[in-house]
Coordinates of all heavy atoms in Angstrom, one line a residue:
Q1448 N 26.3 -99.6 74.9 CA 27.2 -99.5 76.1 C 28.4 -98.7 75.7 O 28.9 -97.9 76.5 CB 27.7 -100.9 76.5 CG 26.6 -101.7 77.2 CD 26.2 -101.1 78.5 OE1 27.0 -100.8 79.4 NE2 24.9 -100.9 78.7
L1449 N 28.9 -98.8 74.4 CA 30.0 -98.0 74.0 C 29.7 -96.6 74.0 O 30.5 -95.7 74.5 CB 30.4 -98.5 72.5 CG 31.2 -99.7 72.4 CD1 31.3 -100.1 70.9 CD2 32.6 -99.5 73.0
A1450 N 28.5 -96.2 73.5 CA 28.1 -94.8 73.5 C 28.1 -94.2 74.9 O 28.5 -93.1 75.2 CB 26.8 -94.6 72.8
R1451 N 27.5 -95.1 75.9 CA 27.4 -94.6 77.2 C 28.8 -94.3 77.9 O 29.0 -93.3 78.5 CB 26.7 -95.7 78.1 CG 26.7 -95.4 79.6 CD 26.2 -96.6 80.3 NE 26.6 -96.5 81.7 CZ 26.5 -97.5 82.6 NH1 26.0 -98.7 82.2 NH2 26.8 -97.3 83.9
Y1452 N 29.7 -95.3 77.7 CA 31.0 -95.1 78.4 C 31.9 -94.1 77.6 O 32.7 -93.4 78.2 CB 31.7 -96.5 78.5 CG 31.1 -97.4 79.5 CD1 30.4 -98.6 79.1 CD2 31.1 -97.0 80.9 CE1 29.9 -99.4 80.1 CE2 30.5 -97.8 81.8 CZ 29.9 -99.0 81.4 OH 29.3 -99.8 82.4
E1453 N 31.7 -94.0 76.3 CA 32.5 -93.0 75.6 C 32.1 -91.6 76.1 O 33.0 -90.8 76.3 CB 32.2 -93.1 74.1 CG 32.9 -92.2 73.2 CD 33.9 -92.9 72.3 OE1 33.9 -94.1 72.3 OE2 34.5 -92.2 71.5
Q1454 N 30.8 -91.4 76.4 CA 30.4 -90.1 76.9 C 30.9 -89.9 78.3 O 31.4 -88.8 78.7 CB 28.9 -90.0 76.9 CG 28.3 -88.7 77.3 CD 28.7 -87.6 76.4 OE1 28.9 -87.7 75.2 NE2 29.0 -86.4 77.0
Q1455 N 30.9 -91.0 79.1 CA 31.3 -90.9 80.5 C 32.8 -90.5 80.6 O 33.2 -89.7 81.5 CB 31.0 -92.2 81.3 CG 31.5 -92.2 82.7 CD 31.3 -93.5 83.4 OE1 30.4 -94.3 83.0 NE2 32.0 -93.8 84.5
F1456 N 33.6 -91.1 79.7 CA 35.0 -90.9 79.8 C 35.6 -89.8 78.9 O 36.8 -89.6 78.7 CB 35.8 -92.2 79.6 CG 35.7 -93.1 80.7 CD1 34.7 -94.1 80.8 CD2 36.7 -93.1 81.7 CE1 34.7 -95.0 81.9 CE2 36.7 -94.0 82.8 CZ 35.7 -94.9 82.9
K1457 N 34.6 -89.1 78.2 CA 35.0 -88.2 77.1 C 36.1 -87.2 77.5 O 37.0 -86.9 76.8 CB 33.8 -87.4 76.6 CG 34.0 -86.5 75.4 CD 34.3 -87.3 74.2 CE 34.4 -86.4 73.0 NZ 34.6 -87.2 71.7
H1458 N 36.0 -86.7 78.8 CA 37.0 -85.7 79.2 C 37.9 -86.2 80.3 O 38.5 -85.5 81.1 CB 36.2 -84.4 79.8 CG 35.4 -83.8 78.7 ND1 35.9 -83.2 77.6 CD2 34.0 -83.7 78.6 CE1 34.9 -82.7 76.9 NE2 33.7 -83.0 77.4
H1459 N 38.0 -87.5 80.4 CA 38.8 -88.2 81.4 C 40.2 -88.5 80.9 O 40.3 -88.8 79.7 CB 38.1 -89.4 81.9 CG 38.7 -89.9 83.2 ND1 39.8 -90.7 83.3 CD2 38.2 -89.8 84.5 CE1 40.1 -91.0 84.6 NE2 39.1 -90.5 85.3
T1460 N 41.2 -88.6 81.8 CA 42.5 -88.9 81.4 C 42.6 -90.3 80.7 O 43.5 -90.5 79.9 CB 43.5 -88.8 82.6 OG1 43.2 -87.6 83.3 CG2 44.9 -88.8 82.1
L1461 N 41.7 -91.1 81.1 CA 41.8 -92.5 80.6 C 41.1 -92.6 79.2 O 41.2 -93.7 78.6 CB 41.0 -93.5 81.5 CG 41.7 -93.9 82.8 CD1 40.8 -94.6 83.7 CD2 43.0 -94.7 82.5
Y1462 N 40.6 -91.5 78.6 CA 39.9 -91.6 77.4 C 40.8 -92.2 76.2 O 40.4 -93.1 75.5 CB 39.4 -90.2 76.9 CG 38.7 -90.2 75.6 CD1 37.4 -90.7 75.6 CD2 39.3 -89.7 74.5 CE1 36.7 -90.7 74.4 CE2 38.6 -89.8 73.3 CZ 37.3 -90.3 73.2 OH 36.6 -90.3 72.0
P1463 N 42.1 -91.7 76.1 CA 42.9 -92.3 75.0 C 43.1 -93.8 75.2 O 43.1 -94.6 74.2 CB 44.3 -91.6 75.2 CG 44.0 -90.3 75.9 CD 42.8 -90.7 76.8
M1464 N 43.2 -94.3 76.4 CA 43.4 -95.7 76.7 C 42.1 -96.5 76.2 O 42.2 -97.5 75.6 CB 43.6 -96.0 78.1 CG 44.0 -97.5 78.5 SD 45.7 -97.9 77.9 CE 45.5 -99.6 77.5
G1465 N 40.9 -95.9 76.5 CA 39.7 -96.6 76.1 C 39.5 -96.6 74.6 O 39.1 -97.6 74.1
R1466 N 39.8 -95.5 74.0 CA 39.7 -95.4 72.5 C 40.7 -96.4 71.9 O 40.4 -97.1 70.9 CB 40.0 -94.0 72.0 CG 38.9 -93.1 72.2 CD 37.7 -93.4 71.3 NE 38.0 -93.3 69.8 CZ 37.2 -93.8 68.9 NH1 36.1 -94.5 69.2 NH2 37.6 -93.6 67.6
Y1467 N 41.9 -96.5 72.4 CA 42.9 -97.4 71.9 C 42.4 -98.9 72.0 O 42.5 -99.6 71.0 CB 44.2 -97.3 72.8 CG 45.2 -98.4 72.6 CD1 46.0 -98.5 71.5 CD2 45.3 -99.4 73.6 CE1 46.9 -99.5 71.4 CE2 46.2 -100.5 73.4 CZ 47.0 -100.5 72.3 OH 47.9 -101.6 72.2
L1468 N 41.8 -99.2 73.2 CA 41.3 -100.6 73.3 C 40.1 -100.9 72.3 O 40.0 -102.0 71.8 CB 40.8 -100.8 74.8 CG 41.9 -100.8 75.8 CD1 41.3 -100.8 77.2 CD2 42.8 -102.0 75.6
Y1469 N 39.2 -99.9 72.1 CA 38.1 -100.1 71.2 C 38.7 -100.3 69.8 O 38.3 -101.2 69.1 CB 37.2 -98.8 71.2 CG 36.3 -98.9 70.0 CD1 35.2 -99.7 70.0 CD2 36.5 -98.1 68.9 CE1 34.3 -99.8 68.9 CE2 35.7 -98.1 67.8 CZ 34.6 -99.0 67.8 OH 33.8 -99.1 66.7
L1470 N 39.6 -99.5 69.3 CA 40.2 -99.6 68.0 C 41.0 -100.9 67.9 O 40.9 -101.6 66.8 CB 41.1 -98.4 67.7 CG 40.4 -97.1 67.6 CD1 41.4 -95.9 67.5 CD2 39.4 -97.1 66.4
L1471 N 41.7 -101.3 68.9 CA 42.4 -102.6 68.9 C 41.5 -103.8 68.8 O 41.8 -104.7 68.0 CB 43.3 -102.7 70.2 CG 44.4 -103.7 70.2 CD1 45.4 -103.4 69.1 CD2 45.0 -103.8 71.6
E1472 N 40.4 -103.7 69.5 CA 39.5 -104.9 69.5 C 38.7 -104.9 68.1 O 38.1 -105.9 67.8 CB 38.5 -104.8 70.6 CG 39.1 -104.9 72.0 CD 39.6 -106.3 72.3 OE1 39.3 -107.2 71.5 OE2 40.3 -106.4 73.3
N1473 N 38.7 -103.8 67.4 CA 37.9 -103.8 66.2 C 38.7 -103.3 65.0 O 38.2 -102.5 64.1 CB 36.7 -102.8 66.4 CG 35.8 -103.3 67.5 OD1 34.9 -104.1 67.3 ND2 36.0 -102.8 68.7
L1474 N 40.0 -103.8 64.9 CA 40.9 -103.3 63.8 C 40.3 -103.7 62.4 O 40.5 -102.9 61.5 CB 42.2 -104.0 64.0 CG 43.2 -103.4 65.0 CD1 44.5 -104.2 65.0 CD2 43.5 -101.9 64.6
N1475 N 39.6 -104.8 62.3 CA 39.1 -105.2 61.0 C 37.8 -104.4 60.6 O 37.5 -104.5 59.4 CB 38.8 -106.7 61.0 CG 40.1 -107.5 61.2 OD1 41.2 -107.1 60.8 ND2 40.0 -108.7 61.9
T1476 N 37.2 -103.8 61.5 CA 35.9 -103.1 61.2 C 35.9 -101.6 61.4 O 35.1 -100.9 60.9 CB 34.8 -103.7 61.9 OG1 35.0 -103.6 63.4 CG2 34.6 -105.2 61.6
A1477 N 36.9 -101.1 62.2 CA 36.9 -99.7 62.5 C 37.3 -98.9 61.2 O 38.0 -99.4 60.3 CB 38.0 -99.4 63.6
H1478 N 36.9 -97.7 61.2 CA 37.1 -96.8 60.0 C 38.6 -96.5 59.9 O 39.3 -96.2 60.9 CB 36.3 -95.5 60.1 CG 34.9 -95.7 59.9 ND1 34.3 -96.3 58.7 CD2 33.8 -95.5 60.7 CE1 33.0 -96.4 58.9 NE2 32.7 -95.9 60.1
H1479 N 39.2 -96.6 58.7 CA 40.6 -96.3 58.5 C 41.0 -94.9 59.0 O 42.0 -94.8 59.7 CB 40.8 -96.4 57.0 CG 42.2 -96.1 56.6 ND1 43.3 -96.8 57.0 CD2 42.7 -95.2 55.7 CE1 44.4 -96.4 56.4 NE2 44.1 -95.3 55.7
Q1480 N 40.1 -93.9 58.7 CA 40.5 -92.6 59.1 C 40.4 -92.4 60.7 O 41.2 -91.6 61.2 CB 39.5 -91.6 58.5 CG 39.7 -91.5 57.0 CD 41.1 -91.1 56.6 OE1 41.8 -90.3 57.3 NE2 41.6 -91.8 55.5
D1481 N 39.5 -93.2 61.3 CA 39.5 -93.1 62.8 C 40.8 -93.6 63.4 O 41.3 -93.0 64.4 CB 38.3 -93.9 63.3 CG 37.0 -93.3 63.1 OD1 36.9 -92.1 62.7 OD2 35.9 -94.0 63.2
I1482 N 41.3 -94.7 62.9 CA 42.6 -95.2 63.4 C 43.7 -94.2 63.1 O 44.6 -94.0 64.0 CB 42.9 -96.6 62.8 CG1 41.8 -97.6 63.2 CG2 44.3 -97.1 63.2 CD1 41.9 -98.9 62.5
L1483 N 43.8 -93.7 61.9 CA 44.8 -92.7 61.6 C 44.7 -91.5 62.5 O 45.7 -90.9 62.9 CB 44.8 -92.3 60.1 CG 45.1 -93.4 59.1 CD1 45.1 -92.9 57.7 CD2 46.4 -94.1 59.4
A1484 N 43.5 -91.1 62.7 CA 43.3 -89.9 63.6 C 43.8 -90.1 65.0 O 44.5 -89.2 65.6 CB 41.8 -89.5 63.6
F1485 N 43.6 -91.3 65.5 CA 44.1 -91.6 66.9 C 45.6 -91.6 66.9 O 46.2 -91.0 67.8 CB 43.6 -93.0 67.3 CG 44.0 -93.4 68.7 CD1 43.2 -93.2 69.8 CD2 45.3 -94.0 68.9 CE1 43.6 -93.5 71.1 CE2 45.7 -94.3 70.2 CZ 44.9 -94.1 71.3
I1486 N 46.2 -92.3 65.9 CA 47.7 -92.4 65.8 C 48.3 -91.0 65.7 O 49.3 -90.7 66.4 CB 48.1 -93.2 64.6 CG1 47.7 -94.7 64.8 CG2 49.6 -93.1 64.4 CD1 47.9 -95.5 63.6
T1487 N 47.7 -90.1 65.0 CA 48.2 -88.7 64.9 C 47.9 -87.9 66.1 O 48.8 -87.2 66.6 CB 47.5 -88.0 63.7 OG1 47.8 -88.8 62.5 CG2 48.1 -86.6 63.5
T1488 N 46.7 -88.0 66.7 CA 46.3 -87.1 67.8 C 47.1 -87.5 69.0 O 47.5 -86.6 69.8 CB 44.8 -87.3 68.1 OG1 44.1 -87.0 67.0 CG2 44.4 -86.5 69.3
Y1489 N 47.4 -88.7 69.3 CA 48.1 -89.2 70.5 C 49.5 -89.6 70.2 O 50.0 -90.6 70.8 CB 47.3 -90.3 71.2 CG 45.9 -89.8 71.6 CD1 44.8 -90.2 70.9 CD2 45.8 -88.9 72.6 CE1 43.5 -89.8 71.3 CE2 44.5 -88.5 73.0 CZ 43.4 -88.9 72.3 OH 42.1 -88.5 72.7
S1490 N 50.2 -89.0 69.2 CA 51.5 -89.4 68.8 C 52.5 -89.4 69.9 O 53.6 -90.0 69.8 CB 52.0 -88.5 67.6 OG 52.0 -87.1 68.1
E1491 N 52.3 -88.6 71.0 CA 53.2 -88.5 72.1 C 53.1 -89.7 73.1 O 53.9 -89.8 74.0 CB 53.1 -87.2 72.8 CG 53.5 -86.0 72.0 CD 53.3 -84.7 72.8 OE1 52.2 -84.5 73.3 OE2 54.3 -83.9 72.8
L1492 N 52.1 -90.5 72.9 CA 51.8 -91.6 73.8 C 52.3 -92.9 73.1 O 52.3 -93.1 71.9 CB 50.3 -91.8 74.1 CG 49.6 -90.6 74.8 CD1 48.2 -90.9 75.0 CD2 50.3 -90.2 76.1
G1493 N 52.7 -93.9 74.0 CA 53.1 -95.2 73.5 C 52.0 -95.9 72.8 O 52.2 -96.8 72.0
L1494 N 50.7 -95.6 73.2 CA 49.6 -96.2 72.6 C 49.5 -96.0 71.1 O 49.1 -96.9 70.4 CB 48.3 -95.6 73.2 CG 48.0 -95.8 74.7 CD1 46.8 -95.0 75.1 CD2 47.9 -97.2 75.1
S1495 N 50.0 -94.8 70.7 CA 50.0 -94.5 69.2 C 50.9 -95.5 68.5 O 50.5 -96.1 67.5 CB 50.4 -93.1 69.0 OG 50.5 -92.8 67.7
N1496 N 52.1 -95.7 69.0 CA 53.1 -96.6 68.4 C 52.5 -98.0 68.3 O 52.7 -98.7 67.3 CB 54.4 -96.6 69.1 CG 55.2 -95.4 68.7 OD1 54.8 -94.5 67.9 ND2 56.4 -95.3 69.3

Side-chain angles (χ1 to χ4, degrees):
Q1448 290 292 308
L1449 280 170
R1451 171 192 164 191
Y1452 288 113
E1453 182 117 358
Q1454 184 62 34
Q1455 177 180 339
F1456 284 90
K1457 185 71 174 178
H1458 302 292
H1459 195 280
T1460 314
L1461 284 169
Y1462 182 76
M1464 188 75 213
R1466 282 293 294 167
Y1467 165 80
L1468 291 171
Y1469 167 75
L1470 294 171
L1471 194 63
E1472 296 290 350
N1473 298 277
L1474 279 179
N1475 295 330
T1476 57
H1478 292 299
H1479 178 60
Q1480 292 305 320
D1481 287 347
I1482 295 174
L1483 295 184
F1485 182 95
I1486 292 170
T1487 303
T1488 302
Y1489 299 108
S1490 59
E1491 293 179 308
L1492 301 179
L1494 297 176
S1495 175
N1496 280 2

